[in-house]
Amino acid sequence: MSSNRVVVYKSPGEVAVESVDYPSLEVPQEVADHFGITKKAPHAAILKIVTTNICGSDQHMVRGRTTAPQGQTLGHEITGEVVEAGEDVLFVNEGDICSVPFNIACGRCRMCDEGKTGICLNVNPARAGAAYGYVDMGGWIGGQAEYVMIPYADFNLLKFPDRDQALEKILDLTMLSDIFPTGYHGAYTAGVTTGSTVYVAGAGPVGLAAAHAAQLLGAAVVMVGDMVPGRLTQAESFGCVGIDLSTEGELTDKIAEVVGEPEVDAAVDAVGFEARGHGSGAGEAPATVLNDCMTVARAGAGIGIPGLYVTGDPGAVDDAAKEGTLGVRLGLGWAKSHSFMTGQCPVKQYNRKLMNLILHDRAQIAKAVNATAIGLDDAPRGYQEFDDGAARKFVIDPHGMVAA
């Protein structure tokens, strides 16, 4: 039996790589018990991890800003090679390299039938929707590992058409598991189209992915707001306009300097619940970005919200925020007839088409997010540097399959 190692959350600010059991073709016991299904999963496959990425959502757990328990396995951005397939898996085979949507979906329920795979009804006893290696998301083992089990493999896996081409472009293709579709979803649901002016809040990896997606959708100008100089420089490296939120001045004025008016056609919140106020040394103010987006979005505009918001935040600034109740100016959004899109991105709605953009050299997502490969044992360092504001997307390469 092969061994397996996985990144686990130990305590706020601390992760470690630990040995766990090699995956089996079984669903978590709590999933089987809750839904009255067999634990045995002939519909599943086991993947040897080719690449697995550190996500800002993981970082929320590692900062102690969720209810994740000690020992929570981590990692939901997974690309891997099939090394074992259950007897009911018909259309993926050993040796196939596949992207894994971070949403775990059964492919059988009403939500999956409607394409809403982020809120599948049959994979999580706690709520609709599940993910690998995440608190309250069904008990599925994380993918920042050497091997991982993928349920409902025929439905969930996106097979790359050519193995050699996939490995050549792996730093781009690894982004299909989450941040590229998530960023695209944020821009698309905000209504970005040909000639749009766009404001993206946050120059972390999801914000950069949303900015690149807005360019692909035809935006005339994409402005990206952040307070970390390196991240603003990264946004500017592929043609965005950096908006420095650490300096004095109103956001509307800074936008007007770029587009000639204090509003935009579409806004994207790629920050989420750990948002901070503007200005040097500003404290945490979790509704800041949502209110900014409503302020700068023109009447009738859309606001995409791929940034994460939670119902349990033990480190929140006040009791209301601890349960996800924020001081959002909903009246402003109502008065301006804004539309809002929240929740997990339904990755399967986008990943195949975004794969085609990558394979045909139309999308340069690895360059946009500054993809940087590290080894599995380097994961703790990657988490620390990411938390310190590194303008990089860390890609874990457990088996040395990423070309130098």
Side-chain angles (χ1 to χ4, degrees), residues 143-221:
Q144 287 171 10
E146 294 173 315
Y147 298 89
V148 70
M149 187 276 292
I150 307 300
Y152 308 107
D154 279 327
F155 184 71
N156 284 309
L157 294 180
L158 173 65
K159 175 184 172 181
F160 299 138
D162 182 89
R163 178 186 178 89
D164 291 339
Q165 184 186 34
L167 290 174
E168 179 184 345
K169 295 180 176 291
I170 196 64
L171 287 178
D172 290 288
L173 293 171
T174 191
M175 305 304 165
L176 293 172
S177 58
D178 183 354
I179 69 162
F180 196 13
T182 293
Y184 190 94
H185 181 63
Y188 180 79
T189 57
V192 177
T193 186
T194 305
S196 295
T197 58
V198 182
Y199 175 68
V200 177
V206 170
L208 297 172
H212 186 43
Q215 293 174 330
L216 293 170
L217 287 164
V221 60

Side-chain angles (χ1 to χ4, degrees), residues 44-81:
I46 294 172
L47 269 58
K48 176 183 177 181
I49 301 296
V50 177
T51 52
T52 176
N53 316 324
I54 297 175
C55 181
S57 298
D58 300 318
Q59 199 74 324
H60 292 305
M61 285 189 289
V62 173
R63 290 187 186 120
R65 296 300 298 269
T66 72
T67 56
Q70 180 180 345
Q72 169 74 55
T73 61
L74 301 173
H76 55 269
E77 299 191 10
I78 301 165
T79 305
E81 177 184 357

